[in-house]
Amino acid sequence: MMLVLALVAFTMIMLVLEWIRADMVALLVVVVIGLTGLIPSDQVFQGFAGNAVIAIIAIMIMGAGLDRAGALSKTASFVMRVARGEEKRLGPIINTVSSIFSAIIPSQALAALLIPLSSRLSARTGVPLAQLLLPMAFCILTGTNTTLIANSPLILLNDLIASANRNLPPGAHTIPKFGLFSVTPVGVTLAVVGIGYFYFFARRLLPTHEVERQKVVPGRTESYFAETYGIAGDPAELTVTAESPLVGMSVGEVEQLHGAPLILAMKNGNESRMAPPSDQMIWVGTVLGVLDSREAVATFANNQLCKVSTRMKQLGDLFNPTRAGISEAVIPPSSRFIKERIGDLRLRKRYGISVLAVNRGDQVFREDLRGITVRAGDTLVLHSHWRDLTLAEEDRDLVVVTDVPKEEQRPGKIWNALGFFLGAMCLALFTNLDLSVAMMSGAIGMLLTGVLNMDEAYKAVNWKTIFVTACLIPLGWSMDSTGAAAWLAQEVLHFSDGAPQWMLQAAIAILTLMFSQVMSNVGATVMMVPIAISVAVATGGNPAAYALIVAVSSSNTFLISSGHPALMMVAGPGGYRSRDFIRVGLPLTILMLVVTLVTVNLLYR
């Protein structure tokens, strides 16, 4: 029992401090559980084959299939028609759409899909992006409790209940498992309350400090990037002459020169390319595609003995706005770029992408970008060919938030995607099949009909989430099997002797809420569900109600941007500060807590 509690403490500390990657922490924990024999060795890695993990993988694949088939593009057109460009209609409609889709698509994936959609709508209507993204992200979290399809804590719940049933004391009633829509009354109530909260209070609570800056949003590229990042000017061509001191220098060395413009493209001989690598050499006759004011370009060309042309004669195709341009991309929490220096990522060589600036909170970095270490939530300003940007985004290391032309969409497959998705829902609802089998049936149907290919399916899966979830499940089993959960429950009861059921439930919910703010909601659920069930059994409460309160409360992470990946992803594009999350999120957190306790107790009277 002491060993399990030590592992729990270690897991919490590591997930909070982030000294070690979350997936590595989870893998280390499951290996220690196996080495110490806390659970039988043949069960140590059963989390990877668990119903919850397989279901999450299948749902991620189907979500990618719906996006590839253009379901969200159709949604954007629908929202525009219904909103008619009016700000007071646009916000509630986006929030409603977010809540509906959050019931069937995992929150992080949905945020990645809806940020560009919101950007597109902002560009078309002139509504500041800062007024749309935070409500959208919060409504994703309030609506994700509607079904057992897209919410990882809810999907985990049945596996944790099965473990608890094996360790219940003699005479205790077996806890029933939750059906696909068992939680729908609670989830729909939370979603409606969340939408109403922003409808009635959004103007008072949402930040206004970014409104002036966001008069022109990312869809209107030139003026937006000039105002926000100081990236202004016109593209020009510099031809290196035989007398130029640039001959024999690398692109990286030229960029270090005083007054050097942004070097975005290059032509050596007959070979042209976007985003030349920093080690690419410059020779006589090399043509550089640069971006800066005409005066700055002319001064640099004069000093370096280059010929300048403002007409893009040789690199015109590379600077065609329908094929290439400047965009913004957010670094999601699961990105492999995190803790790497921009220079070490070799984005130019790997993807043909140039990094022009980095936005981190209130700071914008334009100088010495190669030495900046990437953090989750950073917004990178990029210049690239749209095709290269789309290919880079498929690796899920960055999420493009600018409305750019997308390729490889398959609108002809939309009915296949919708048909197999609805078919999977029907299998889960009207048959006795496990959720994993039902969901994987829909995923394999999309693959067989060409909605996605197998490589795209692999890329659609967030493997970090899978490893964290699969490896932490045995920790919950260990808390049950060793009696650690029962002991902690007794300690809770000792300090709350004689407290009514609603007060015990509130204490469990608040504790879960606190854990989920500083660690993953999966980790908070794994640790708190066994404790909650033990408290319910000891006090005569309904264990199912207690377990559900934990799973729902773990999604109420509204107070800090790092509390949930979806919030981290909107912080940069929306220009939000820490106090914005607290000002908007604190009243919503209290409201969600009260509504959760009331609706769960009405459902399980």
Side-chain angles (χ1 to χ4, degrees), residues 138-159:
F138 280 178
C139 286
I140 288 176
L141 299 188
T142 59
T144 193
N145 299 295
T146 309
T147 67
L148 263 69
I149 298 173
N151 189 327
S152 296
L154 286 175
I155 296 174
L156 270 175
L157 209 50
N158 282 337
D159 284 7

Side-chain angles (χ1 to χ4, degrees), residues 65-78:
L66 290 171
D67 178 44
R68 185 75 67 168
L72 286 179
S73 297
K74 298 284 186 183
T75 302
S77 301
F78 169 77

Side-chain angles (χ1 to χ4, degrees), residues 145-220:
N145 299 295
T146 309
T147 67
L148 263 69
I149 298 173
N151 189 327
S152 296
L154 286 175
I155 296 174
L156 270 175
L157 209 50
N158 282 337
D159 284 7
L160 295 172
I161 286 175
S163 173
N165 282 335
R166 291 194 294 266
N167 296 283
L168 286 174
H173 293 290
T174 301
I175 307 168
K177 290 187 176 183
F178 290 92
L180 188 65
F181 295 102
S182 298
V183 299
T184 299
V186 178
V188 169
T189 304
L190 292 174
V192 171
V193 170
I195 294 169
Y197 173 78
F198 285 104
Y199 181 78
F200 291 107
F201 302 105
R203 291 184 180 276
R204 302 176 190 175
L205 297 175
L206 287 172
T208 58
H209 56 80
E210 289 294 320
V211 172
E212 289 301 315
R213 197 194 82 173
Q214 297 270 2
K215 284 181 179 177
V216 185
V217 292
R220 298 167 187 172

Side-chain angles (χ1 to χ4, degrees), residues 285-423:
T286 295
V287 180
L288 301 176
V290 301
L291 179 69
D292 210 332
S293 66
R294 292 192 177 185
E295 295 78 10
V297 171
T299 301
F300 182 79
N302 184 57
N303 292 338
Q304 304 301 327
L305 303 178
C306 296
K307 295 179 181 179
V308 61
S309 172
T310 56
R311 295 181 60 186
M312 306 299 289
K313 298 178 181 179
Q314 303 189 60
L315 298 173
D317 287 344
L318 295 183
F319 284 87
N320 186 331
T322 63
R323 299 182 180 180
I326 302 177
S327 59
E328 284 181 308
V330 174
I331 302 298
S334 58
S335 174
R336 294 172 298 176
F337 294 171
I338 295 173
K339 295 184 180 179
E340 297 283 346
R341 294 195 314 156
I342 290 178
D344 296 335
L345 294 176
R346 301 166 67 89
L347 295 180
R348 291 177 172 180
K349 185 165 288 187
R350 292 169 61 190
Y351 300 114
I353 293 176
S354 296
V355 180
L356 309 184
V358 177
N359 183 4
R360 179 177 295 160
D362 298 330
Q363 294 179 292
V364 175
F365 301 97
R366 288 281 313 277
E367 305 294 334
D368 192 25
L369 296 179
R370 293 175 54 81
I372 293 178
T373 301
V374 177
R375 299 180 186 175
D378 281 354
T379 301
L380 306 185
V381 182
L382 311 172
H383 184 275
S384 65
H385 197 290
W386 301 137
R387 182 187 64 250
D388 295 334
L389 188 63
T390 301
L391 292 174
E393 188 180 24
E394 289 183 353
D395 289 336
R396 295 185 170 270
D397 291 316
L398 50 84
V399 176
V400 180
V401 299
T402 304
D403 181 22
V404 302
K406 297 275 183 147
E407 298 185 9
E408 290 298 322
Q409 294 291 303
R410 301 184 181 112
K413 300 290 185 179
I414 189 168
W415 293 114
N416 299 77
L418 291 174
F420 282 108
F421 180 80
L422 293 175

